[in-house]
């Protein structure tokens, strides 16, 4: 009997553990989505400039580099710009980079006029990196006649104008992991401000820009090993449950049967007599009053006394 109870305990613990295993295996999805980085690429554009000055009494030099001082428009001859653009990819690529650098004149009054294309070109790309260098000169005082003519036509007037240098760059490169088809248009602004607190000045904005992107692939990964583990969990919980039920039934069946009171009374019914009142004992004899002749015979047989 003790062995059966031990088996019940062992199989009970097994059922609990297999249930936990079944829950854990089914809580893990059979598939998951992963984002795989196949390649990366970047671009970087930077500007450097030198302001060449007319003879003046403000600075004791003929030119100013970027950040060396206030650029006064009336003593500025021209600005020499150097633009550098780099593009690189982490894997081999083949294609081309097309670019156009446009000069635009803009007024805060709302009008805008495209002056010209400063430069344009197509650079073949074959490898992992390419660099474009462009040099151009801007004369900020060359557009006052045009400004006056446009304001006369539009009826507008302003003390601040912007010369915009807009490079439009199209990158079209095939790689072994995908196509790169990107457009970039970082602007450089040259602001002519006639009424600033510093006087009639030129402000050159920071046109430097850079970026980083990745070529990605969404991939669904199937965890086939979980299928076999799920089947294993079914087998474990079913076999252990069957074992637990078997030993429980064995224990129940091996217990001694308890007869019911009806069956017990029925087995001794032949010697039981129905008495009318409590027996009366007197000296030397006992008086028993019964309800029928049959009960009297039973009492006589039990006492071994004649009627």
């Amino acid at each position: 009997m003790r062995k059966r109870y031990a088996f019940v305990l062992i199989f009970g613990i097994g059922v609990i553990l297999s249930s936990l295993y079944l829950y854990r295996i089914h809580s893990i999805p059979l598939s998951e989505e992963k984002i795989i980085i196949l390649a990366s690429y970047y671009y970087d554009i930077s500007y450097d400039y030198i302001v060449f000055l007319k003879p003046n009494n403000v600075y004791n030099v003929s030119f100013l580099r970027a950040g060396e001082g206030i650029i006064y428009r009336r003593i500025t001859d021209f600005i020499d710009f150097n633009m550098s653009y780099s593009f690189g990819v982490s894997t081999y690529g083949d294609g081309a980079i097309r670019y156009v650098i446009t000069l635009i004149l803009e007024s805060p009054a709302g009008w805008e006029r495209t002056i010209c294309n400063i430069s344009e070109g197509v650079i073949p790309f074959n490898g992992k990196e390419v660099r474009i260098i462009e040099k151009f000169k801007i004369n900020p005082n060359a557009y006052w006649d045009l400004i006056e003519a446009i304001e006369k036509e539009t009826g507008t007037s302003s003390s601040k104008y912007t010369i915009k240098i807009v490079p439009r760059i199209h990158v079209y490169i095939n790689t072994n992991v995908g196509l790169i088809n990107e457009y970039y248009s970082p602007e450089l602004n040259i602001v002519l401000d006639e009424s600033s607190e510093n006087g009639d000045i030129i402000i050159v904005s920071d046109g430097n820009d850079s970026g980083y992107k990745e070529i990605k692939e969404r991939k669904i990964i199937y965890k086939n090993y979980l299928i076999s583990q799920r089947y294993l969990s079914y087998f474990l919980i079913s076999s252990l449950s069957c074992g637990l039920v078997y030993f429980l039934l064995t224990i129940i069946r091996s217990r001694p049967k308890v007869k019911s009171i009806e069956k017990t009374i029925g087995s001794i019914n032949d010697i039981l007599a129905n008495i009318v009142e409590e027996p009366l004992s007197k000296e030397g004899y006992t008086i028993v009053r019964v309800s029928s002749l049959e009960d009297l015979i039973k009492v006589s047989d039990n006492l071994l006394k004649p009627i």
Side-chain angles (χ1 to χ4, degrees):
M1 182 65 71
R2 290 182 179 179
K3 289 184 178 180
R4 293 174 182 176
Y5 281 110
F7 278 119
V8 169
L9 179 61
I10 292 172
F11 277 96
I13 294 173
V15 169
I16 295 174
L17 294 178
S18 61
S19 300
L20 294 175
Y21 179 66
L22 178 70
Y23 173 77
R24 178 182 175 276
I25 291 301
H26 282 75
S27 64
I28 303 174
L30 291 175
S31 63
E32 65 176 329
E33 186 181 73
K34 281 192 175 182
I35 298 177
I36 301 173
I37 299 174
L38 303 177
S40 61
Y41 56 95
Y42 73 92
Y43 74 90
D44 182 83
I45 185 168
S46 60
Y47 292 90
D48 191 17
Y49 63 88
I50 298 176
V51 181
F52 287 89
L53 305 175
K54 300 174 183 178
N56 64 89
N57 297 311
V58 180
Y59 296 110
N60 192 27
V61 292
S62 59
F63 63 87
L64 295 174
R65 297 188 182 275
E68 287 187 346
I70 297 174
I71 306 172
Y72 294 101
R73 183 187 63 82
R74 298 179 185 181
I75 63 172
T76 298
D77 191 7
F78 63 89
I79 305 175
D80 194 2
F81 284 93
N82 184 16
M83 186 195 82
S84 175
Y85 173 81
S86 298
F87 181 88
V89 61
S90 61
T91 187
Y92 178 84
D94 182 55
I97 298 177
R98 301 176 183 271
Y99 68 94
V100 177
I101 304 174
T102 304
L103 187 66
I104 299 173
L105 181 62
E106 183 183 71
S107 168
W111 57 263
E112 182 179 280
R113 168 70 183 273
T114 299
I115 305 298
C116 64
N117 289 334
I118 299 174
S119 179
E120 60 183 297
V122 179
I123 305 299
F125 189 96
N126 190 357
K128 291 187 176 182
E129 189 175 16
V130 72
R131 188 177 184 185
I132 301 172
I133 296 178
E134 284 287 345
K135 296 182 179 182
F136 49 88
K137 294 180 181 181
I138 300 295
N139 183 357
N141 294 308
Y143 308 106
W144 292 110
D145 291 340
L146 178 61
I147 291 172
E148 184 178 352
I150 294 175
E151 289 188 339
K152 186 176 181 180
E153 293 174 355
T154 59
T156 59
S157 179
S158 178
S159 61
K160 182 185 293 187
Y161 305 92
T162 302
I163 301 172
K164 298 166 63 176
I165 299 172
V166 184
R168 296 181 174 90
I169 303 169
H170 179 203
V171 178
Y172 190 90
I173 297 173
N174 277 304
T175 70
N176 54 2
V177 293
L179 175 66
I180 300 174
N181 187 15
E182 298 280 353
Y183 291 85
Y184 304 102
S185 186
E187 294 183 2
L188 174 69
N189 294 328
I190 305 169
V191 180
L192 313 178
D193 192 350
E194 296 181 285
S195 59
S196 75
E197 59 181 10
N198 294 316
D200 189 354
I201 63 172
I202 298 173
I203 301 172
V204 180
S205 68
D206 182 10
N208 299 339
D209 190 28
S210 61
Y212 174 86
K213 291 187 178 182
E214 295 171 334
I215 300 175
K216 301 177 181 179
E217 180 185 44
R218 295 182 180 272
K219 191 173 183 180
I220 297 177
I221 299 176
Y222 294 95
K223 303 175 183 178
N224 295 324
Y225 67 92
L226 286 176
I227 298 176
S228 60
Q229 291 190 11
R230 287 189 177 186
Y231 283 123
L232 176 62
S233 67
Y234 302 150
F235 171 76
L236 288 175
I237 195 168
S238 59
S239 58
L240 291 171
S241 297
C242 290
L244 178 62
V245 171
Y246 170 77
F247 281 104
L248 285 174
L249 291 176
T250 303
I251 291 174
I252 292 173
R253 289 173 182 174
S254 63
R255 289 182 178 179
K257 295 182 179 179
V258 180
K259 293 183 178 180
S260 63
I261 187 65
E262 290 82 4
K263 291 183 178 180
T264 304
I265 294 174
S267 62
I268 61 174
N269 190 45
D270 293 337
I271 61 174
L272 291 178
N274 186 18
I275 63 176
V276 176
E277 58 185 26
E278 185 177 351
L280 179 62
S281 297
K282 292 188 177 183
E283 185 178 353
Y285 62 93
T286 300
I287 299 174
V288 179
R289 296 182 183 275
V290 296
S291 61
S292 65
L293 179 60
E294 183 181 357
D295 293 327
L296 181 60
I297 294 172
K298 291 180 181 180
V299 172
S300 174
D301 292 341
N302 291 333
L303 297 177
L304 301 176
K305 298 291 185 178
I307 298 174

